[in-house]
Amino acid sequence: DMTANTGHHHLLVNATPIKAGEVIPADEKHTHFGKGQTETELTLPPGNYTLTMQFANGLHQAYGPAMNKEIKITVK
């Protein structure tokens, strides 16, 4: 759906936030929530991680840094 001002989230694990207009890849570091998912389960080995929620349009083009939020976690 490419309705203006809409989109869906992507979860980035230890990946650089995506610049506005760039397409978010579909790989092991980028989880797409394009089907309305509201949660997921991650299995991560021990270590430090940066998790970023990146909002994008229906074509997976990122809205840029104004529409992302990141947290840092440690898995023990």
Side-chain angles (χ1 to χ4, degrees):
D1 182 7
M2 289 299 293
T3 303
N5 300 314
T6 66
H8 61 278
H9 283 96
H10 300 77
L11 175 62
L12 287 57
V13 179
N14 285 351
T16 304
I18 310 297
K19 295 178 184 175
E22 290 185 9
V23 175
I24 298 173
D27 59 25
E28 67 281 348
K29 289 187 173 189
H30 303 84
T31 302
H32 292 245
F33 288 82
K35 295 180 182 173
Q37 303 95 314
T38 58
E39 60 185 63
T40 193
E41 187 172 314
L42 296 176
T43 302
L44 301 169
N48 296 316
Y49 296 89
T50 300
L51 305 179
T52 304
M53 291 303 293
Q54 177 80 60
F55 201 61
N57 66 21
L59 293 177
H60 307 283
Q61 296 167 323
Y63 285 119
M67 294 295 286
N68 75 33
K69 184 71 174 177
E70 72 177 37
I71 62 170
K72 296 188 182 298
I73 65 167
T74 300
V75 176
K76 295 185 178 194

